Amino acid sequence: MSMRIGQGYDSHSFKAGVPLRIGGLAIDHPEGLAGHSDGDVLLHAVTDALLGAVAAGDIGTFFPPSDPRWKDAESSIFLNLALEEIQHAGYQIMNVDVTLVLSQPKISPIAGEMRERLAILLDILPNVVSIKAKTPEGLGLDHVAQAHAVVLLERVEDPSALKSMTAVIESQRQLEDVVKDLVNEVHRGDQKRRTVVPVFDTEDIT
């Protein structure tokens, strides 16, 4: 299967006295989101979407709320694990589409910055990241933040494309060494040919 789709959802209620983080951004707001970790509803939804796309379970499978190690943990930790899972399965992210549902704060003024931040966390380009915001009109959810996320993955046919940056750099150095050896060998051959059968008089070169 060359393409896979994953869908993720999360919700948290607002709570006074805790910082608000959505999409990896710290947002100035009187209330934050209640949760065992930092309550980042957007990153939780994207994490579940990625894990679901490769049938690797969900965020609770790896980071149960009963485990004290994840108390107040940054949700980027969860996202990194999901990225490792899709890499291990041989896939890469093609695009991400997220819809936030909340009354406050207003997301549109910071949507661009949020897209940039999520793109950095996922190591993809911002132009394949979409973040939209809706209000829960008439649903009685004014004190709740929800996030819906959809991701599209594509299988990487060349496993070497999934190498770590360290491996890529090392391979590049090896390639440069091979090229240098070949160039030197060619130059040495040219020099021998010039000695045996001179093509031109080097004294004429200015």
Side-chain angles (χ1 to χ4, degrees):
M1 187 181 300
S2 61
M3 308 288 284
R4 287 200 175 200
I5 296 173
Q7 184 269 339
Y9 167 81
D10 196 34
S11 66
H12 289 284
S13 60
F14 282 91
K15 178 182 178 180
V18 297
L20 178 61
R21 294 187 68 86
I22 300 179
L25 291 182
I27 301 173
D28 185 17
H29 192 66
E31 297 179 308
L33 293 172
H36 186 63
S37 63
D38 62 4
D40 194 323
V41 65
L42 189 153
L43 293 191
H44 293 177
V46 173
T47 297
D48 263 357
L50 292 170
L51 292 173
V54 293
D58 62 14
I59 194 170
T61 303
F62 296 94
F63 307 100
S66 58
D67 192 332
R69 289 180 298 174
W70 313 122
K71 177 64 176 173
D72 300 326
E74 290 190 14
S75 295
S76 57
I77 297 173
F78 312 151
L79 195 64
N80 285 339
L81 178 131
L83 291 173
E84 289 179 5
E85 287 295 315
I86 67 168
Q87 184 182 46
H88 179 72
Y91 287 84
Q92 64 183 359
I93 300 172
M94 297 304 294
N95 75 293
V96 179
D97 187 16
V98 180
T99 301
L100 289 168
V101 183
L102 71 173
S103 294
Q104 293 291 335
K106 297 300 181 184
I107 299 300
S108 55
I110 58 173
E113 185 180 1
M114 196 174 286
R115 286 180 59 207
E116 294 277 352
R117 179 59 182 160
L118 183 57
I120 290 172
L121 291 174
L122 295 174
D123 194 23
I124 57 179
L125 296 174
N127 63 2
V128 297
V129 176
S130 171
I131 296 178
K132 309 178 298 295
K134 306 294 182 180
T135 57
E137 296 180 9
L139 298 179
L141 297 172
D142 290 350
H143 207 62
V144 175
Q146 303 174 79
H148 301 261
V150 178
V151 300
L152 178 65
L153 307 183
E154 181 182 45
R155 179 175 289 281
V156 179
E157 298 300 335
D158 181 7
S160 65
L162 295 173
K163 286 182 179 180
S164 67
M165 184 59 65
T166 302
V168 171
I169 292 173
E170 186 60 30
S171 297
Q172 183 63 31
R173 287 173 179 165
Q174 293 173 1
L175 177 61
E176 289 175 356
D177 289 340
V178 171
V179 171
K180 287 179 181 178
D181 288 341
L182 287 173
V183 170
N184 289 336
E185 183 177 340
V186 170
H187 285 176
R188 285 195 297 270
D190 285 346
Q191 184 61 43
K192 290 179 180 178
R193 285 192 291 273
R194 289 192 194 105
T195 303
V196 177
V197 184
V199 179
F200 53 83
D201 186 356
T202 57
E203 295 297 323
D204 292 338
I205 298 177
T206 58

